[in-house]
Amino acid sequence: MDRLIDFMNHPYFITSMSRDPDEVSAGLDPKYPLTLFLALGIWLVYDRYQKAHNSPLPFEVTPPAAADPGWESLPIADASIESHLTNPDIMPPVALPGRRYITSFDPATGLHLQTVLADDEELIETKIRQAAHAQRYWKTTNFTQRRRVMRSLLKWLVDNQELCARVACRDTGKTLIDAALGEILTTCSKLEWLINRGEGALQPEKRGSNLMMFYKKSEVHYEPLGVVAGIVSWNYPLHNAWSPIIASIFAGNGVILKCSENVVWSTSWFVEAIQECLRVCGHDPELVQLVCCYPEQANALIQSPTIKHITFIGSDTVGRKVAMAATKHLTPVTLELGGKDPAIVLPKADIKKCAPLLLRGVYQNMGQNCIGIERILVHASLYDDLFDYFEDKVTKMRVGSVLARSPEGYISTVDGGAMINPDRFRGLEKVIFDAEEAGAQIVGGAKQYNHVYLENGYYFAPTVVGNVDPEMEIAKQEVFAPIALLIPYDKIEDAVRIANSTKYGLGASVWGPDRDLCMKVAKNLECGMVSINDFGVFYINQDLPFGGAKGSGYGRFGGPEGLRSLTNPKAVIRDRFWISTSIPKVLDYPVRSLHNSWEFSANLVHFLYGFGWRSRFAGLYNVIKLANK
Ligand SMILES: *[C@@H]1O[C@H](CO)[C@@H](O)[C@H](O)[C@H]1NC(C)=O
Ligand SMILES: *[C@@H]1O[C@H](CO)[C@@H](O)[C@H](O)[C@H]1NC(C)=O
């Protein structure tokens, strides 16, 4: 109670609640706590009402057997070669002539997960039609109903987080911690944001007016677009699928998700969960559709006249193709492409404190992270300390599978998982080798890693490349791999110049004890997002927009900007009072006098925008005089 009284004697409280400060300081008037309790009571009733109408509904999705630790199946040496399709044991139950197959496998073990028919153009068109049909009803739902879907998803995700993490691990070979940070936390944060702030971001918004339009009320209404599409990469199969889906449906749209061929198995299950949730909440699950196809068929989606917006997450090569194909029906595109994110370690930075975060920023998800730290620009005075730290940690890193048993029958603890496939291994080995030739300092495997018992897994040894020169190829291209680059610099201006020197501009981080200096450096970076003394947290606060500058793409997802980009911001202007616009006689068709009509409009401009009250007054006088001429 003492605290409460203290609070009530606070100057703000006194000025806002009482006319006479002496009255309060003299003794506590019983009407103040009473008001407080009354407010508390109203809030409690409101909260109960909200909860009763908005409690999460439980739903279940059958857990896939392959998500179990130690699960076994046929190993496939190289699933990208279609020769395994001659094995009748792994073929899908229905085979159709002329259709291609997509095979899913666990890249950490090489175990076969499933082989399915890839969608052809006709099936893609059918799915778009079904989503469009469901959206006709869905767009009429209110935010209470949409929030209930989000709450149900959030509860299910929290209750099933381990299962979801294991499904993601099985399909991509990542570790449970990579999944916890990049899939679960991020998705919960997005759901929470939609629940708490989504409606606010989509509320009709009042806009200002001006002298000419003083009698009008102006608003922006954020209306659903119809059916939108998300074309997403494989690195976070849960988050990359759910994030565009939940934002799209919250804004009142239907959505088609096209996932990468690499993660069809897990994405199908994650999308099934959303469909099941919609069904349990009383809505049509066809609102959300998953398309699994090869790039050759993707134009059936990108160039469909029904698709009103495309969110693309992936490489810049494919992003450009999508953006070009989308011009057929002028479909707007949000492009989230690659990055070469710099971490700038300023002089006097506390290496002990920032090094563990930098390490996670580089090796999270084995570097297969669009906002992963791709370059560490470290002041020359701190270079040795940081390099030693990385050397010590990286040489001790263990890679493997969090779901496979060793020959002795146990699952070992690992720091890093597998890579999605071996396609880029030779290229990575070459850029590291070239850097070494040019004088870089290499620690760690620097090449494909052959696991002792997971011989069919695709692993790349965690590597540190020190003394990197910004002109080296490795410092320019996005490596998307477990490779830390340490670039020493002398002057802060040099660090900013190097940071800005790649074609990308996605995220960045600045590290140092002087907050003003950090802010100054952050201001000079050409990129979409910066975190200071932290890694990637601009994505954990989902109230912020996510996206890049330069070659990292355009448009934003996340935050009000992202949610609104999935809507048609319709400008609506209407009368505020009893006055409405009428055409003065002098301008009415047929115009009777060229001179008078011109003088009238010229004087109107003087009245509205003229400088000085004389000019304005003369303008008004003439407007009145000429109006009926
Ligand atoms: C939202 O819609 C549901 C179902 O039509 C209705 O029961 C509920 O009262 C509506 N809520 C609000 C806040 O309009
Ligand atoms: C980024 O650095 C480059 C090179 O130093 C410079 O030309 C550019 O102006 C910088 N960008 C900003 C926003 O200051």
Side-chain angles (χ1 to χ4, degrees):
M1 198 61 194
D2 277 345
R3 281 182 146 236
L4 186 64
I5 293 167
D6 267 1
F7 165 61
M8 296 182 103
N9 281 327
H10 188 273
Y12 171 73
F13 197 78
I14 294 165
T15 43
S16 59
M17 294 287 287
S18 153
R19 272 152 217 248
D20 178 10
D22 293 331
E23 193 186 307
V24 170
S25 39
L28 192 63
D29 187 315
K31 75 173 176 271
Y32 300 117
L34 214 69
T35 317
L36 212 67
F37 284 124
L38 201 69
L40 199 73
I42 292 170
W43 179 77
L44 270 174
V45 171
Y46 175 76
D47 192 56
R48 282 205 68 110
Y49 169 83
Q50 278 281 313
K51 291 226 168 85
H53 287 77
N54 229 338
S55 55
L57 290 176
F59 65 93
E60 274 173 35
V61 197
T62 318
D68 293 344
W71 171 83
E72 287 287 342
S73 82
L74 273 168
I76 307 179
D78 190 351
S80 56
I81 297 171
E82 291 199 354
S83 64
H84 71 276
L85 292 175
T86 51
N87 183 344
D89 291 344
I90 61 174
M91 292 301 278
V94 212
L96 295 176
R99 291 275 291 273
R100 291 177 70 191
Y101 301 94
I102 294 176
T103 287
S104 302
F105 64 98
D106 173 2
T109 57
L111 293 178
H112 177 255
L113 286 164
Q114 67 170 12
T115 296
V116 294
L117 281 169
D119 294 353
D120 61 1
E121 281 93 347
E122 205 185 316
L123 189 53
I124 295 171
E125 282 160 20
T126 306
K127 289 179 175 180
I128 297 173
R129 258 201 314 278
Q130 285 170 331
H133 185 260
Q135 194 261 344
R136 258 181 266 160
Y137 153 75
W138 175 254
K139 71 176 177 198
T140 66
T141 56
N142 59 37
F143 285 111
T144 310
Q145 290 167 293
R146 293 181 203 169
R147 241 190 322 268
R148 178 167 235 178
V149 173
M150 299 301 140
R151 276 191 215 279
S152 308
L153 286 171
L154 180 57
K155 177 155 195 325
W156 180 84
L157 182 56
V158 172
D159 291 348
N160 293 278
Q161 57 168 317
E162 196 205 320
L163 174 61
C164 290
R166 281 195 271 111
V167 169
C169 292
R170 182 60 86 191
D171 214 7
T172 60
K174 69 177 66 188
T175 67
L176 282 167
I177 300 305
D178 288 342
L181 299 177
E183 312 261 28
I184 311 288
L185 262 179
T186 49
T187 310
C188 288
S189 157
K190 179 143 194 155
L191 282 163
E192 181 203 35
W193 184 81
L194 286 170
I195 292 165
N196 293 337
R197 314 246 171 167
E199 183 175 359
L202 297 178
Q203 274 304 299
E205 197 184 10
K206 285 199 178 64
R207 292 291 168 97
S209 198
N210 55 22
L211 182 56
M212 186 165 180
M213 288 292 113
F214 77 96
Y215 58 102
K216 303 276 186 185
K217 212 152 80 172
S218 303
E219 284 167 356
V220 183
H221 291 247
Y222 297 97
E223 296 183 348
L225 283 171
V227 180
V228 297
I231 301 179
V232 296
S233 63
W234 44 261
N235 52 343
Y236 290 103
L238 166 63
H239 184 72
N240 286 354
W242 274 37
S243 167
I245 291 177
I246 58 183
S248 301
I249 65 178
F250 193 85
N253 301 301
V255 58
I256 316 286
L257 187 89
K258 186 212 163 292
C259 68
S260 150
E261 301 94 281
N262 290 316
V263 289
V264 167
W265 177 78
S266 55
T267 310
S268 308
W269 191 75
F270 292 133
V271 171
E272 193 189 322
I274 296 187
Q275 290 167 331
E276 181 56 19
C277 178
L278 281 168
R279 201 185 59 72
V280 167
C281 293
H283 309 293
D284 188 349
E286 303 281 1
L287 184 70
V288 174
Q289 299 281 340
L290 177 66
V291 160
C292 305
C293 70
Y294 283 96
E296 293 76 20
Q297 280 72 46
N299 274 356
L301 176 62
I302 301 164
Q303 300 192 325
S304 161
T306 312
I307 298 296
K308 301 300 181 200
H309 182 276
I310 298 169
T311 302
F312 176 85
I313 306 175
S315 71
D316 63 343
T317 325
V318 181
R320 273 165 218 271
K321 285 187 190 154
V322 170
M324 280 195 280
T327 58
K328 182 169 182 195
H329 292 289
L330 300 178
T331 312
V333 183
T334 293
L335 290 180
E336 202 277 276
L337 311 175
K340 188 76 183 165
D341 288 10
I344 302 180
V345 183
L346 296 174
K348 303 204 178 74
D350 182 348
I351 291 293
K352 269 207 195 70
K353 240 183 125 188
C354 70
L357 282 152
L358 292 170
L359 197 69
R360 172 54 67 181
V362 173
Y363 296 100
Q364 159 72 18
N365 220 34
M366 282 281 100
Q368 302 168 116
N369 195 356
C370 57
I371 51 164
I373 298 176
E374 290 253 341
R375 296 175 293 162
I376 301 175
L377 311 181
V378 54
H379 189 255
S381 63
L382 300 172
Y383 175 83
D384 289 336
D385 286 352
L386 194 62
F387 189 86
D388 292 347
Y389 179 89
F390 267 72
E391 175 167 29
D392 177 48
K393 293 285 180 178
V394 171
T395 46
K396 288 179 192 151
M397 267 190 186
R398 302 147 296 178
V399 292
S401 167
V402 292
L403 294 175
R405 291 193 195 287
S406 69
E408 294 79 33
Y410 60 84
I411 292 175
S412 45
T413 303
V414 292
D415 304 296
M419 304 291 281
I420 195 74
N421 60 41
D423 296 355
R424 296 181 312 116
F425 284 2
R426 300 293 90 82
L428 290 172
E429 287 162 3
K430 181 167 180 336
V431 286
I432 300 175
F433 179 80
D434 289 349
E436 187 170 24
E437 291 281 282
Q441 195 181 1
I442 314 285
V443 169
K447 60 177 189 322
Q448 179 168 10
Y449 168 70
N450 296 313
H451 195 278
V452 189
Y453 55 86
L454 300 170
E455 52 288 302
N456 290 322
Y458 299 128
Y459 296 97
F460 199 88
T463 303
V464 187
V465 185
N467 263 330
V468 171
D469 184 286
E471 289 308 310
M472 292 175 180
E473 186 53 32
I474 201 168
K476 292 179 182 169
Q477 59 159 267
E478 183 181 32
V479 293
F480 222 62
I483 304 172
L485 304 187
L486 271 66
I487 307 176
Y489 71 87
D490 291 317
K491 289 209 220 85
I492 295 178
E493 299 87 83
D494 297 337
V496 172
R497 185 180 44 78
I498 298 166
N500 284 346
S501 68
T502 68
K503 65 174 176 175
Y504 296 109
L506 192 57
S509 55
V510 185
W511 308 76
D514 180 344
R515 290 185 191 182
D516 293 340
L517 183 60
C518 288
M519 280 304 290
K520 211 174 128 194
V521 172
K523 243 186 154 144
N524 285 314
L525 298 176
E526 291 172 333
C527 63
M529 300 155 299
V530 189
S531 56
I532 289 168
N533 286 317
D534 212 330
F535 160 69
V537 284
F538 39 70
Y539 200 52
I540 298 292
N541 179 1
Q542 282 282 334
D543 207 26
L544 290 171
F546 185 97
K550 305 200 290 186
S552 291
Y554 50 75
R556 294 290 183 270
F557 59 83
E561 289 83 355
L563 195 57
R564 289 173 179 176
S565 75
L566 299 167
T567 65
N568 172 33
K570 186 182 279 177
V572 178
I573 183 161
R574 57 195 154 128
D575 292 330
R576 193 194 293 277
F577 317 111
W578 66 97
I579 315 168
S580 59
T581 305
S582 55
I583 290 275
K585 223 169 164 186
V586 67
L587 297 184
D588 207 11
Y589 291 121
V591 174
R592 285 166 306 170
S593 155
L594 171 62
H595 177 262
N596 286 347
S597 57
W598 168 256
E599 279 302 309
F600 175 83
S601 37
N603 276 288
L604 186 63
V605 169
H606 279 297
F607 165 53
L608 294 171
Y609 308 107
F611 287 81
W613 66 269
R614 270 169 214 280
S615 158
R616 293 213 174 201
F617 192 78
L620 179 61
Y621 176 79
N622 288 325
V623 160
I624 294 168
K625 201 177 75 183
L626 290 164
N628 287 316
K629 283 264 161 105

